[in-house]
Amino acid sequence: MSNQLQYEKSPYLLQHKDNPVDWHPWGEEAFRRAVSEEKPIFLSIGYSTCHWCHVMARESFEDSEVAKLLADFVCIKVDREERPEVDAVYMAACQAMTGSGGWPLSIFLTPDRKPFFAGTYFPKTSRYGQTGFVEVLKQISLLWRTDQNRLFEAGNQIAFHLNSQNAQSFGTPDRELLLRGYRLLAQSFDKTFGGFGTAPKFPTPHNLLFLMEMYQKEQLPDALHMVEVTLKSMAAGGIFDQVQGGFSRYSTDDTWLIPHFEKMLYDNVLLLAAYSEAFRLTGEPFYKDIAGRTADYLFTELAAPDGGFCCGQDADSDGIEGSYYLFTKEEVVRLLGREDGSKFAELYNFTEAGNFEGKNIPNRIGQKSPGWPAGDSRLKALSQYRKTRMPLSLDDKVLLSWNGWAILAFARAGQIFGSRRYLEAATKTRKFLRKNMTTPEGRLRLRYCKGEAAYPGLLDDYAVYALALTELYRSTFDVSCLEEAVFLARQIMELFEDPENGGCFMTAHETGELILRPKETYDGAIPSGNAAAAMVFSELSFLTGEPSFQEAAERQHRFLAGEAEKYPAAHCFALLSMAKSLYPHRELVCTGTKVPEELTAYLQTHSAEDLTVLFKSAENERRLSAVCPFTAAYPVSDQPVYYLCENGGCRAPVADFHALGLR
């Protein structure tokens, strides 16, 4: 018999609909039942491409013995990707109680949703010093019957502690804070294989974007060196799919050889942005190649049929982690013939013993000779062969914030590479979000799946989408992008900003079903919503000239500076936003009938972090003046005219782009 998850859309929840556990989705029905039946809540949070979530499901949630023990609880299953606010609250609780976190996240709550015990993966029974899930359930059931007040008191203490974390914390956004962030990254940098810290190693492309900015602003060659070593090492490793392109979520070793094989949308689009920016800075074709392979992977595997991009692909195939990606030398020789098969095995570091569980992860670590180029018929043959294996599960949800990052990455790559295909992908994704995930009143929906948009948008949705629209404006000069970005930015201030303690809450003001309103500031695998909001306000303050956005940016930067003070390297996207205000900035308005080719060529090869560009024509002047009032004073003629301002002063207009002297 199916449980209550059978009515859900989430692929992760549907994976558990036939469990013998009486699962409920997060919602009032489950909470009412816990209160009326006086039962504690067992909350399990994960996502569909999570390997250890699958392991715990097979060992425990599909087991009838465990299901009988869980009958003493009201059991709730949550997809962290479609309910990130729920995950944020209880991940914070887990970290407070245990010092660490991860998925699957296993939390025990009182009926009023306050956590009193937390953990991540539990084996079914105790082994290797790790407490078993069966033992945990029996002990908590006993305590609930015999010492319930103790559990309620523990829940109250944790809830109080979590709420106290939103206390006021302001700082000074200055150049020294940015340099401290740079130095901390330099201290943890792996000089041999790139990346930061020891295994497991995550791509964290926003850290690389920050370092590229510091290279330009502070003339720090080591900053670019760290970026290049990291980007080249990742592209050589097994974390990068050498056969088809695209990056896995993280590497389990220092050399980037052995990945955790799941592939996520957010990693790949942010890495697309990082490799594109590296090409713009260096002109090195290698970065363009990896950006192109990553984009091809996104188009081939994660593009949703109706538009937008799906969440990601599972690590497991036929229940075995990574088996989809592994080859033996004999396989490739059989597929490609002795000459090409042996050559592939040599170029991609195959060994007879294998480099992962007796088989080989193709990689280019330590290789000097070039690998086979993207589109090579032999790589296509290997890719087609892999598709005969048990296919990887696709999480086909479309998440608004992740698709916002996709718009940003494709818009930036489209400008840098002069690619119409990439710009069309960004524009198409925007149209999908507007049509399917935006209400008639302009409010955003977090998730779209199987024809249904659901859940109110969170801070990340509004901030990342607005930021993506400013990037799309940079690349297309479509005024509607600015109009929509301004509308969303004002909603951020209205719905999410905390006027007392600074910063922005993750949830809108009217949301009330959680024990606290989380306020995330540090960057994880994705930049924080607060950092993205700061970047939006900064961008719009320069683009529109409106004081309200400048004031919002200053408020947000002071708040984030206070949060980043202890360890600025964990707030690189916030530091990247602060750089816009701390370093010299220029504003350029171009008027004419069409965007001049010389301006397009300049933006293609020069980072526009310190330059805001607006294009005004007779066709768009009314709408542009409405959203950027200061542009009303600039007349439009048939020939292009450039108006450049910097550091509070404006130059005389010129008709020759090169006379501007832009470097």
Side-chain angles (χ1 to χ4, degrees):
M1 292 180 62
S2 296
N3 51 50
Q4 295 298 309
L5 301 184
Q6 64 183 300
Y7 306 110
E8 296 299 304
K9 303 287 186 181
S10 157
Y12 176 64
L13 299 187
L14 291 173
Q15 287 174 357
H16 295 269
K17 69 180 177 64
D18 295 320
N19 291 168
V21 178
D22 185 19
W23 291 116
H24 292 71
W26 179 270
E28 290 299 328
E29 180 184 346
F31 306 145
R32 283 195 297 269
R33 182 178 167 190
V35 172
S36 65
E37 297 182 11
E38 298 183 350
K39 287 183 176 180
I41 295 169
F42 170 60
L43 173 63
S44 176
I45 303 177
Y47 56 103
S48 73
T49 60
C50 167
H51 170 70
W52 286 103
C53 298
H54 299 329
V55 174
M56 191 165 178
R58 288 194 297 268
E59 291 179 346
S60 294
F61 302 146
E62 296 173 8
D63 184 86
S64 57
E65 177 190 359
V66 173
K68 289 178 182 177
L69 294 172
L70 282 170
D72 289 340
F73 303 81
V74 172
C75 299
I76 298 177
K77 178 65 76 171
V78 165
D79 181 341
R80 67 170 292 258
E81 294 172 349
E82 68 175 14
R83 300 307 301 266
E85 77 282 20
V86 177
D87 179 61
V89 170
Y90 293 105
M91 182 61 73
C94 182
Q95 290 169 336
M97 286 188 271
T98 69
S100 62
W103 299 279
L105 184 59
S106 304
I107 308 282
F108 292 86
L109 318 175
T110 59
D112 57 356
R113 302 166 226 177
K114 294 175 181 175
F116 60 81
F117 184 80
T120 53
Y121 162 77
F122 292 99
K124 179 185 173 183
T125 56
S126 299
R127 64 178 185 226
Y128 309 124
Q130 190 174 12
T131 305
F133 194 50
V134 167
E135 286 77 12
V136 169
L137 294 176
K138 289 179 178 178
Q139 183 63 26
I140 291 176
S141 291
L142 176 63
L143 285 171
W144 188 258
R145 293 192 302 270
T146 61
D147 199 359
Q148 197 173 114
N149 288 338
R150 175 181 167 190
L151 300 184
F152 272 98
E153 180 58 29
N156 288 333
Q157 289 177 1
I158 291 296
F160 177 81
H161 169 76
L162 295 176
N163 276 285
S164 69
Q165 302 306 298
N166 281 337
Q168 186 175 20
S169 174
F170 293 111
T172 302
D174 56 20
R175 179 171 163 266
E176 180 55 30
L177 185 64
L178 274 63
L179 289 169
R180 280 183 55 217
Y182 160 75
R183 289 193 291 266
L184 285 167
L185 289 175
Q187 289 171 15
S188 64
F189 177 65
D190 181 339
K191 294 180 176 63
T192 305
F193 294 105
F196 305 94
T198 56
K201 280 185 176 176
F202 290 80
T204 55
H206 37 287
N207 291 2
L208 304 178
L209 291 170
F210 166 69
L211 287 172
M212 283 187 268
E213 181 70 357
M214 294 302 289
Y215 163 72
Q216 296 175 87
K217 290 292 191 294
E218 293 285 347
Q219 291 77 54
L220 296 169
D222 284 350
L224 183 59
H225 174 72
M226 287 189 277
V227 170
E228 293 208 78
V229 172
T230 301
L231 291 178
K232 289 179 178 178
S233 295
M234 286 195 299
I239 191 174
F240 181 68
D241 183 353
Q242 305 292 333
V243 172
Q244 191 182 7
F247 288 85
S248 294
R249 184 164 167 250
Y250 63 85
S251 174
T252 63
D253 67 311
D254 289 333
T255 70
W256 305 102
L257 171 63
I258 301 172
H260 187 41
F261 289 90
E262 66 196 64
K263 287 180 177 176
M264 308 302 293
L265 173 63
Y266 56 78
D267 285 321
N268 282 282
V269 293
L270 286 167
L271 283 165
L272 171 60
Y275 279 95
S276 300
E277 197 63 37
F279 174 78
R280 174 148 60 184
L281 277 181
T282 67
E284 190 169 334
F286 174 79
Y287 299 122
K288 183 177 182 179
D289 175 60
I290 301 301
R293 290 184 178 215
T294 305
D296 287 344
Y297 164 74
L298 291 164
F299 288 134
T300 303
E301 298 297 327
L302 296 189
D306 299 329
F309 292 89
C310 300
C311 286
Q313 286 180 303
D314 206 332
D316 296 9
S317 176
D318 204 19
I320 303 172
E321 183 184 11
S323 64
Y324 183 82
Y325 297 99
L326 306 177
F327 295 95
T328 63
K329 183 176 180 179
E330 290 72 23
E331 275 182 302
V332 296
V333 169
R334 186 175 70 250
L335 282 165
L336 302 179
R338 180 155 302 278
E339 181 178 349
D340 282 341
S342 299
K343 183 65 173 175
F344 181 87
E346 178 185 350
L347 284 173
Y348 293 89
N349 290 330
F350 278 30
T351 66
E352 294 297 334
N355 55 38
F356 182 75
E357 298 182 354
K359 295 185 178 181
N360 289 281
I361 303 169
N363 70 91
R364 306 270 304 131
I365 298 171
Q367 290 279 8
K368 299 298 182 184
S369 56
W372 289 342
D376 186 285
S377 61
R378 295 163 294 187
L379 291 180
K380 288 183 178 179
L382 291 173
S383 178
Q384 288 300 119
Y385 169 72
R386 287 195 321 195
K387 290 180 180 179
T388 65
R389 297 170 172 173
M390 179 65 72
L392 298 168
S393 174
L394 175 71
D395 189 318
D396 61 357
K397 297 190 307 294
V398 175
L399 297 179
L400 194 142
S401 65
W402 295 11
N403 275 261
W405 290 120
I407 293 171
L408 184 148
F410 277 113
R412 181 170 296 192
Q415 182 186 73
I416 293 171
F417 301 125
S419 169
R420 180 173 294 180
R421 184 189 189 197
Y422 294 167
L423 292 177
E424 287 175 350
T427 301
K428 181 181 178 182
T429 302
R430 179 199 176 197
K431 288 179 179 177
F432 177 87
L433 300 184
R434 292 188 69 183
K435 177 183 176 183
N436 297 290
M437 302 183 72
T438 308
T439 70
E441 300 75 31
R443 299 292 285 270
L444 302 180
R445 290 290 174 259
L446 188 150
R447 179 272 280 161
Y448 180 88
C449 190
K450 300 176 179 64
E452 176 195 75
Y455 309 115
L458 303 177
L459 171 64
D460 293 60
D461 300 299
Y462 285 82
V464 176
Y465 185 29
L467 182 60
L469 289 166
T470 66
E471 191 76 33
L472 190 55
Y473 176 77
R474 283 181 185 272
S475 303
T476 64
F477 294 110
D478 179 350
V479 177
S480 72
C481 294
L482 274 185
E483 292 171 328
E484 193 173 4
V486 165
F487 178 78
L488 293 171
R490 288 178 176 148
Q491 284 192 310
I492 293 172
M493 288 187 270
E494 176 187 345
L495 299 174
F496 299 97
E497 197 168 11
D498 180 354
E500 295 181 8
N501 296 304
C504 295
F505 291 111
M506 190 177 187
T507 58
H509 293 316
E510 68 267 23
T511 306
E513 65 177 18
L514 298 172
I515 60 171
L516 78 152
R517 293 180 69 194
K519 191 189 290 182
E520 294 192 325
T521 59
Y522 64 89
D523 297 334
I526 309 176
S528 76
N530 268 287
M535 187 73 83
V536 169
F537 296 146
S538 293
E539 291 279 5
L540 291 178
S541 70
F542 290 117
L543 283 163
T544 69
E546 288 292 285
S548 61
F549 291 127
Q550 182 178 349
E551 292 162 3
E554 290 172 355
R555 290 195 301 270
Q556 196 72 355
H557 287 155
R558 288 196 304 272
F559 166 73
L560 287 167
E563 294 292 315
E565 180 62 32
K566 291 182 181 178
Y567 195 75
H571 299 78
C572 282
F573 205 74
L575 302 184
L576 191 59
S577 176
M578 292 176 200
K580 287 190 171 296
S581 301
L582 293 171
Y583 293 94
H585 196 277
R586 302 168 294 175
E587 298 85 38
L588 177 67
V589 177
C590 173
T591 64
T593 56
K594 64 178 183 179
V595 180
E597 291 182 4
E598 55 264 33
L599 177 58
T600 300
Y602 175 85
L603 294 174
Q604 187 173 345
T605 55
H606 292 74
S607 175
E609 294 297 338
D610 66 343
L611 178 69
T612 295
V613 182
L614 292 165
F615 174 71
K616 180 180 179 180
S617 65
E619 185 178 293
N620 73 17
E621 63 178 332
R622 182 183 59 81
R623 294 175 68 181
L624 186 66
S625 297
V627 74
C628 306
F630 76 94
T631 63
Y634 296 99
V636 177
S637 59
D638 291 340
Q639 298 302 314
V641 178
Y642 300 96
Y643 301 82
L644 181 65
C645 301
E646 56 184 325
N647 302 325
C650 296
R651 300 185 193 175
V654 298
D656 181 5
F657 176 78
H658 300 289
L660 294 170
L662 297 176
R663 297 188 303 276

